[in-house]
Amino acid sequence: MMAKIFESKPLKILRGRRGVVEAFLLTSIILLGFAIRILPLRWGVYLMEFDPWMQFKELNYIIERGWKGFIDFFSWHDYSSWYPHGRNVGRTAFPGLPFMAAFIYHVLHGLGLEINALELAAFFPPAMAILSIVFAYLLGRELGGGHAGLLSAFFLAISTAHIERSLFGWFDDECI
């Protein structure tokens, strides 16, 4: 009888410490993943390659037209690209990324937070990487427990393949 009383109390204390340690490790992993991905910020805010600039152009098209831009996007024919006939953007582009970023932009402006569209586009991939790391942790924890969750989050945070597509300024479909 006395042995059960003494056994249960240390386990409850250990369980509380274990949760604190797990939360600390997960926070450290998230900060590590974010710090790696924002390293290009030292050269300023910019977008890499050509596809992110086209996605940014689509984002600006939606933002300039307000909430109506989500509907106007599907009838947009861009004559400034693919000379001489232009490009039917509404039928050839993937609208997910610019729609999500424009939605966040409009919500933030509705709340009174002024944000530059270029800065939003540049910071969007590292923010999505943080969400991916958290979801990797949750999936790993569900399948294999807390240790597996922390390991899966850590491996995703330092994965070079994931870092390449969620780097600061890589505003392309893969970042989601």
Side-chain angles (χ1 to χ4, degrees):
M1 180 78 158
M2 282 302 245
K4 285 186 178 181
I5 294 172
F6 287 117
E7 285 178 12
S8 65
K9 189 172 182 178
L11 288 178
K12 286 182 182 178
I13 293 171
L14 183 63
R15 222 179 282 148
R17 288 183 185 167
R18 183 182 224 172
V20 170
V21 169
E22 195 169 325
F24 172 75
L25 288 174
L26 180 61
T27 304
S28 300
I29 291 169
I30 290 170
L31 290 174
L32 172 71
F34 185 73
I36 290 170
R37 284 163 177 82
I38 64 164
L39 283 175
L41 181 61
R42 61 187 160 187
W43 294 295
V45 178
Y46 66 95
L47 298 178
M48 303 177 202
E49 297 291 334
F50 300 109
D51 288 349
W53 281 106
M54 187 58 199
Q55 298 282 358
F56 181 66
K57 184 177 183 178
E58 295 167 11
L59 171 65
N60 277 333
Y61 181 85
I62 297 168
I63 288 173
E64 289 169 359
R65 285 154 182 75
W67 290 103
K68 189 175 177 279
F70 291 100
I71 297 168
D72 292 345
F73 179 84
F74 294 106
S75 61
W76 176 29
H77 193 87
D78 182 18
Y79 289 101
S80 65
S81 61
W82 289 10
Y83 180 81
H85 302 294
R87 176 183 177 211
N88 189 348
V89 179
R91 292 180 185 225
T92 60
F94 299 117
L97 178 67
F99 275 27
M100 187 172 189
F103 179 78
I104 292 170
Y105 180 88
H106 287 311
V107 167
L108 290 175
H109 273 260
L111 295 173
L113 298 170
E114 296 295 322
I115 187 166
N116 185 355
L118 181 62
E119 292 172 356
L120 173 67
F123 274 105
F124 192 78
M128 289 293 108
I130 289 173
L131 285 176
S132 299
I133 292 168
V134 169
F135 284 131
Y137 164 75
L138 293 173
L139 179 64
R141 188 183 74 183
E142 185 69 27
L143 296 176
H147 293 91
L150 289 171
L151 277 175
S152 63
F154 177 71
F155 287 141
L156 187 61
I158 63 169
S159 168
T160 55
H162 191 254
I163 289 170
E164 284 179 17
R165 298 300 181 191
S166 60
L167 200 60
F168 178 84
W170 184 261
F171 187 64
D172 203 4
D173 297 318
E174 296 91 2
C175 71
I176 294 181

